[in-house]
Amino acid sequence: AVCRTNGFFTLPVTSWFALRKAVHPLVKRVCDTERLVCSKTCLNANDIAFVIDGSSSVGTGNFRTVLQFVANVTREFEISDTDTRVGIVQYTYEQRLEFAFGQHNNKADLLNAIKRINYWSGGTSTGAAITFAADQLFSKSKPNKRKIMIVITDGRSYDDVRAPALAVHRKGVVAYSIGIAWAAQDELEYIATDPDREHSFFVDEFDNLYKYVAKIIHNICQEFNSQPRN
């Protein structure tokens, strides 16, 4: 269903005898990972944690914009307890688990839960939030799921982000960082999985977050389809 409008996934053959002539073009398409990013499997094989900055500099209106961005990314995935699961942490100086993986097991419930998240307001301890997400979410991740963390922040952290980020990278978490306005570029790069250009993004204002929805989905699927299969 994801790929039905894409002619790349249709291979017309004029007759049974002509099947042998389809082997080479079929192999070429199967090996073309750039074009195979549309594969539905990448949309139902993840545990995704959003780590959202709720500090005072964000403000209520901008926080709603962040939640809309989270909803727009989430909407692209197949959501259920056996498909992609989503958890959210909001942080200031402290951290709050908004909901855990598998707590909302269909897309409508999940999108409603995102909409209901209340803005917290406070300081900015991004490093502690990453560690909290690892403990509260990824420690309960399913072994057959790709672990993805998307950190959204609008300022420099009051604590160190390098050690917490390195720790989650070592646990196999693919980390994306999205910085807005006063976010620190060096911290965004520490948080992001290498290569940074594929996992770290910056916008000058909250209203431009929407520009990276398609890019993040594309990168998640591209990486999934480039992984070796058993």
Side-chain angles (χ1 to χ4, degrees), residues 74 79 86 99 104-115:
T74 298
I79 303 296
V86 172
F99 51 81
H104 300 287
N105 284 328
N106 67 71
K107 192 172 295 186
D109 286 350
L110 178 57
L111 293 174
N112 282 331
I114 293 169
K115 192 183 300 182

Side-chain angles (χ1 to χ4, degrees), residues 53 69 150-156 176-189 191-192 196-213 215-216 219:
D53 187 344
F69 169 81
I150 301 175
V151 179
I152 306 168
T153 181
D154 83 327
R156 181 172 288 278
Y176 288 82
S177 61
I178 303 174
I180 307 142
W182 301 280
Q185 186 62 41
D186 59 330
E187 292 184 347
L188 297 176
E189 292 174 1
I191 293 167
D196 294 338
R197 67 181 180 277
E198 299 296 331
H199 300 93
S200 181
F201 308 105
F202 180 86
V203 293
D204 54 357
E205 56 186 49
F206 285 84
D207 287 343
N208 289 329
L209 277 171
Y210 75 92
K211 295 179 179 179
Y212 287 117
V213 173
K215 177 66 173 173
I216 287 172
N219 287 5

Side-chain angles (χ1 to χ4, degrees), residues 23-222:
V23 172
H24 183 65
L26 179 60
V27 170
K28 277 190 69 175
R29 295 190 195 196
V30 168
C31 295
D32 188 347
T33 58
E34 283 292 325
R35 298 290 294 278
L36 284 171
V37 295
C38 164
S39 168
K40 186 178 178 181
T41 309
C42 75
L43 302 179
N44 63 11
N46 313 285
D47 279 342
I48 303 176
F50 290 92
V51 181
I52 303 173
D53 187 344
S55 61
S56 301
S57 57
V58 174
T60 304
N62 288 332
F63 188 75
R64 304 319 299 178
T65 302
V66 171
L67 292 184
Q68 186 59 58
F69 169 81
V70 171
N72 289 343
V73 172
T74 298
R75 194 174 281 112
E76 298 298 317
F77 290 88
E78 300 295 320
I79 303 296
S80 80
D81 191 48
T82 56
D83 293 307
T84 288
R85 307 185 303 168
V86 172
I88 294 183
V89 168
Q90 183 182 174
Y91 72 95
T92 58
Y93 284 128
E94 301 177 276
Q95 309 84 39
R96 185 167 75 197
L97 180 64
E98 301 293 353
F99 51 81
F101 292 144
Q103 194 170 330
H104 300 287
N105 284 328
N106 67 71
K107 192 172 295 186
D109 286 350
L110 178 57
L111 293 174
N112 282 331
I114 293 169
K115 192 183 300 182
R116 292 194 303 267
I117 293 174
N118 291 318
Y119 172 52
W120 202 358
S121 186
T124 308
S125 292
T126 311
I130 292 169
T131 300
F132 183 84
D135 293 342
Q136 297 295 316
L137 291 173
F138 291 119
S139 65
K140 301 172 179 65
S141 192
K142 292 186 176 181
N144 62 329
K145 299 297 182 185
R146 294 183 72 233
K147 297 187 285 289
I148 296 170
M149 179 177 67
I150 301 175
V151 179
I152 306 168
T153 181
D154 83 327
R156 181 172 288 278
S157 179
Y158 293 126
D159 65 355
D160 175 55
V161 302
R162 289 173 293 183
L166 184 58
V168 295
H169 295 167
R170 287 173 172 167
K171 291 178 180 177
V173 175
V174 178
Y176 288 82
S177 61
I178 303 174
I180 307 142
W182 301 280
Q185 186 62 41
D186 59 330
E187 292 184 347
L188 297 176
E189 292 174 1
Y190 288 136
I191 293 167
T193 295
D194 290 333
D196 294 338
R197 67 181 180 277
E198 299 296 331
H199 300 93
S200 181
F201 308 105
F202 180 86
V203 293
D204 54 357
E205 56 186 49
F206 285 84
D207 287 343
N208 289 329
L209 277 171
Y210 75 92
K211 295 179 179 179
Y212 287 117
V213 173
K215 177 66 173 173
I216 287 172
I217 301 300
H218 177 274
N219 287 5
I220 288 172
C221 281
Q222 186 177 47

